[in-house]
Amino acid sequence: MEEIEHRTVEVNGIKMHIAEKGNKQGPVVLFLHGFPELWYSWRHQIVALSSLGYRAVAPDLRGFGDTDAPSSVSSYTGFHIVGDLVALIDLLGVDQVLLVAHDWGAIIGWYLCLLRPERIKAYVCLSVPLLHRDPKIKTLDAMRAAHGNDYYICRFQEDKMEAEMAEVGTEYAIKNMLTNRTTGAPILPKGEYGTGLNPNMPDTLPSWLTEDDLAYFVSKFEKTGFTGGLNYYRNLNTNWELLAPWDGVKIKVPVKFITGDLDSVYTSLNLKEYIHGGEFKKDVPNLEEVIVQKGVAHFNNQEVAEEISNHIYEFIKKF
């Protein structure tokens, strides 16, 4: 990890921390993390892809880690994050990047492919497929209708969520999420974080997550808190409103989608049916491949890091 370079750049009115490694003249692979994550989630892929001649770049997204976290909830719309990333691509001095993204990063990745497709050569998307925009119902309202008020994304809307997470502690909250292997819609107990999203949290860490790894995540979130990340969830309905002019527009970027069969996203919100029933391919005509990894949960970029790195390389080398 010590060979990974770190710097702070100015993009779209904020200071952004980026980690990078590899041939400065090589094709850029841009990695976008999710929640509760950081550039560090891509540590294995940065090393793997940079060794194959690529320039691997992984920012801490707005509100996370060592990147600025504006105080206003309204500063975390998809448009803001896409603006940060377009400015970053410009700053890297390239016209196009190969995009790899997971979880909230994946949602932002879809926005990027929709709004600025000419900047994305190809997209390897992990965990979260395109969330098809239903013009008749706002995103958060649809989630509430499907899974109720205690669905974790609905609970993340609440102002008291940060206090509930503080009560169990940063380390508990992060470990609880990273080690979750429970399928189906994650439900948070009403009025308390309690056992969090993962009532079956193991005492020991899985083999893919070391004490040092956990400590890195914890040290950064202890400094920033969770508000920046939660603000992404708090803009789901706003994003639905902002994206109205693009309703029905197809994503034309070539895409490879990878998920685990134990991923709580894959196993909720009828997404399995959407992915395999033909609708995903309708919305994303150049969806070239869907990979479902057996026995793998949500954080597949860390859990089966080498396999993910190989999948990324096999796809992006064609471009």
Side-chain angles (χ1 to χ4, degrees), residues 17 21 34 58 63 74 76 83 97 114 140-141 149 157 164 195 198 232 238 275 282 293-294 304-305:
H17 164 248
K21 182 172 165 60
S74 60
Y76 291 84
V97 297
L114 176 68
L140 183 66
D141 301 357
N149 289 328
Q157 307 301 313
E164 288 184 22
T195 54
N198 179 11
Y232 284 61
T238 303
I275 290 164
K282 261 189 215 162
Q293 299 170 306
K294 297 284 176 219
V304 282

Side-chain angles (χ1 to χ4, degrees), residues 63-98:
F64 289 89
D66 294 318
T67 291
D68 283 353
S71 56
S72 161
V73 176
S74 60
S75 297
Y76 291 84
T77 71
F79 279 29
H80 287 88
I81 321 299
V82 168
D84 298 345
L85 295 169
V86 171
L88 176 60
I89 295 168
D90 287 343
L91 188 131
L92 295 170
V94 292
D95 291 330
Q96 288 189 309
V97 297
L98 297 152

Side-chain angles (χ1 to χ4, degrees), residues 182-254:
T182 308
T183 54
I187 300 298
L188 270 176
K190 192 131 201 87
E192 55 163 352
Y193 197 79
T195 54
L197 301 178
N198 179 11
N200 308 308
M201 187 170 89
D203 293 331
T204 54
L205 294 177
S207 58
W208 53 268
L209 187 69
T210 68
E211 292 289 352
D212 285 349
D213 294 335
L214 181 62
Y216 185 84
F217 286 115
V218 171
S219 70
K220 295 300 178 185
F221 279 96
E222 275 184 342
K223 191 184 79 174
T224 62
F226 291 105
T227 301
L230 293 174
N231 282 343
Y232 284 61
Y233 296 92
R234 292 164 178 165
N235 275 285
L236 279 167
N237 276 356
T238 303
N239 290 339
W240 180 90
E241 292 172 12
L242 291 170
L243 289 168
W246 288 269
D247 196 54
V249 174
K250 310 287 187 196
I251 302 277
K252 299 288 177 59
V253 172

Side-chain angles (χ1 to χ4, degrees), residues 137-158 161 184-191 197 236 268-270:
I137 184 167
K138 293 180 180 182
T139 309
L140 183 66
D141 301 357
M143 290 175 172
R144 188 172 272 119
H147 295 309
N149 289 328
D150 291 350
Y151 181 54
Y152 79 108
I153 290 176
C154 299
R155 292 272 277 111
F156 279 0
Q157 307 301 313
E158 299 170 13
M161 183 47 59
I187 300 298
L188 270 176
K190 192 131 201 87
L197 301 178
L236 279 167
S268 58
L269 295 170
N270 293 322

Side-chain angles (χ1 to χ4, degrees), residues 124-188:
V124 179
C125 176
L126 309 187
S127 178
V128 185
L130 180 70
L131 298 177
H132 177 87
R133 184 184 185 278
D134 183 342
K136 296 192 184 78
I137 184 167
K138 293 180 180 182
T139 309
L140 183 66
D141 301 357
M143 290 175 172
R144 188 172 272 119
H147 295 309
N149 289 328
D150 291 350
Y151 181 54
Y152 79 108
I153 290 176
C154 299
R155 292 272 277 111
F156 279 0
Q157 307 301 313
E158 299 170 13
D159 291 344
K160 62 183 178 180
M161 183 47 59
E162 285 89 333
E164 288 184 22
M165 293 170 91
E167 216 166 284
V168 297
T170 305
E171 182 173 337
Y172 181 97
I174 291 174
K175 181 183 172 187
N176 185 267
M177 287 186 260
L178 291 182
T179 60
N180 184 29
R181 305 184 75 73
T182 308
T183 54
I187 300 298
L188 270 176

